[in-house]
Every structure is written in structure tokens, then in C-alpha cells.
Amino acid sequence: MDTATEAPPEIPRGGEMVESPFLTQLVAVIRAEDSHGQWDMKSDVDLLEEFIVTKEERREMPITGDPEPELIWRLTRFYDAVGLMVEKRTGCMATQMQKMHHEGFGRVVLIAGRLVVVSKHLRDVHRFGFETWAKLAEAGDKLVDEAVKLVEQFPEAARA
Amino acid sequence: MDTATEAPPEIPRGGEMVESPFLTQLVAVIRAEDSHGQWDMKSDVDLLEEFIVTKEERREMPITGDPEPELIWRLTRFYDAVGLMVEKRTGCMATQMQKMHHEGFGRVVLIAGRLVVVSKHLRDVHRFGFETWAKLAEAGDKLVDEAVKLVEQFPEAARA
């Protein structure tokens, strides 16, 4: 017997796009790298799509060898965006430093004055990415919020 | 007319060796890297001699191209020694991070908790070295002293 069933609504890769100041900042950071305007015709979603890594994609990703330069580039832009949001909210400029190991673990810090406002130990750098837009935005917001709290806790060190 | 003149006393490369807890620490750091005992027969002075760069040597050093790995190795050991001295005096362990550019400038930081206890911007990494033993010891001591002061100023951040 043939019953008419409704097709499930198609969920786009990365889920629903979200409104987020962090994603806006991340797009701005990426566009700032495009000095020749080669990406002018790309939409914001196009520019960010590589930040999305679905569960299926994740499973298929190799986790050996040096992480690719484009991946490190994306990771760096992500933390650049965090740093700029921190600067907007606190007035403290934060510089990024990274320490990456071949095996795919590493550490990223953002330093304002004498204060480490973000300190992230990374495993699985090879698979850097987020399942959904919502998770990407949330991850950025969380780091920014924590950093702002630290600056408020140690204002002198952040301005030293 | 032939006057007997005293020959000037011969000054060894690096000048007079000095007693210095920093130099002792630096030797210990270097020996700790020697897991196969290949340097057992080397004296402390032998192990440290590459840290000495005289004015003449400095002038002859190229300043282009990537700094050699051995040079980065020495620089890293120098800051390792600083970090260990800071730990001995404050109880706070400090981790090193570096950011090096091909052109020979860069930055080294030592991080304890959330505090950047040492932050050194480097120019001329290619020529990393010290004219004398006294200057090598002094440079280490100065960095350690400044770091200890910072830990005393921001104890909570250093232990965060």
C-alpha cells in the first residue's frame, strides 16, 4: 500500500546558519587576507564552509602526517577572530602564538600584555572543524567570553 | 733598540669563565638532552662554547636565510634554563613557546599558568650568542630576575 509520506526537510551541511557576531568577525578576518579581491564573488557561507566538518567527514579524515597548511591557516584565522573580538570588548590587543607537533596535537595561546587570555591545547588538529554553524559560533563565543573574564580578573597583567 | 715588553696576557675566547648558577643550569639542560651519553667526555666549557659569539665572529655571520636548526636548539636551551631557574625560585613551571620568522626576527615567551613571565622579541636570531661568559650569565640572570618579579606581582595569574 502506498501512503504519501512527507519527505524529511533537507538539512544543509552545517545545519541552519546562525546570526552570530563571531561568524561575522571570522568572515571579516578571512576577507582581510584576500588582498587581491579574488574572493569578492564568494558568499560568506562559501568562505566559511571549510570550517564545517561533519561526523561522516571526520571519520574519513586521515590523522597522520603534518596537518596541511590550509588547515593551519583556518585554525589561525579562527583564533585571530577570537583575538579581535576580545580586543573589541576589552581594548586589549591579543597576539597569537602556536606550537604544533607533527602528530596533530599542539597549543594555541592569545597573549594580551603579560596575560594569556586564551590557552587551548589541541588534539586532532588534522580534523579541526565544527559539525554545525551553531557549534562554530558557540566555540568562538565561549573562548571570547572566557578571555574577557580573565582580562577583568587580571586587568593589570593584561595591560602590562 | 730592543726593549723587553711583557706580552699581554692571553684572553681566552669568551673572557674569564664565571661562577654562575645560570651557567650551571644551562649545562644541566644541555646534558639532559644527551640521552646516549655522547657528550660525557665533553667539559662544561665545550658544551657551552657555541653560546659565545665574539664581535669578529658576529661580523662574519650571514643574516639571511632560515636560522640553522642547531641555533634554534641553542636558543631553546637558553630559555629552557631560564624557565627552570624561574621554577626553582617560584615553584611555577614555565612552558616555552616560540614564533620565528625566516628573516631572523621572532619572539620567545615563557608561560606560567596564565602569566607570560618572559617575553622576548628577538632580532638577529642568526647571530644569537654572547660575547663573553659573563654576558651570557648576566643575560640569563636578568631574565630570571624579571620573571620572578612578575610572578611576585601577579601570583594568582601565574598559578591560574
Side-chain angles (χ1 to χ4, degrees), chain B residues 134-158:
Chain B
K135 284 185 180 177
L136 170 59
E138 217 174 85
D141 283 337
K142 189 164 168 270
L143 289 168
V144 173
D145 286 345
E146 288 169 359
V148 170
K149 260 186 214 161
L150 269 166
V151 172
E152 287 165 357
Q153 193 183 349
F154 303 113
E156 274 181 81

Side-chain angles (χ1 to χ4, degrees), chain A residues 11-107:
Chain A
I11 299 166
R13 183 166 169 277
E16 294 299 323
M17 179 47 80
V18 293
E19 280 287 320
S20 147
F22 179 74
L23 294 186
T24 307
Q25 181 68 71
L26 185 54
V27 168
V29 163
I30 292 170
R31 294 214 183 265
E33 294 274 314
D34 180 31
S35 43
H36 297 290
Q38 290 181 297
W39 300 334
D40 281 355
M41 303 299 287
K42 288 197 180 192
S43 70
D44 292 355
V45 171
D46 289 342
L47 289 179
L48 294 183
E49 68 178 356
E50 300 282 333
F51 285 89
I52 298 295
V53 175
T54 66
K55 272 186 188 160
E56 294 70 36
E57 289 164 356
R58 202 180 154 79
R59 267 196 294 270
E60 281 160 29
M61 284 175 149
I63 53 161
T64 51
D66 276 324
E68 287 181 30
E70 300 99 83
L71 194 148
I72 299 295
W73 187 89
R74 275 200 300 284
L75 188 120
T76 306
R77 297 296 83 75
F78 176 83
Y79 286 95
D80 280 349
V82 172
L84 285 164
M85 296 284 286
V86 173
E87 185 175 353
K88 278 181 187 167
R89 284 177 54 188
T90 65
C92 296
M93 212 184 79
T95 323
Q96 184 171 163
M97 290 182 85
Q98 300 177 349
K99 192 176 195 170
M100 290 294 159
H101 295 263
H102 314 284
E103 297 86 359
F105 57 92
R107 186 182 186 191

Side-chain angles (χ1 to χ4, degrees), chain B residues 27-35:
Chain B
V27 168
V29 163
I30 291 169
R31 293 214 184 268
E33 294 273 314
D34 180 32
S35 43

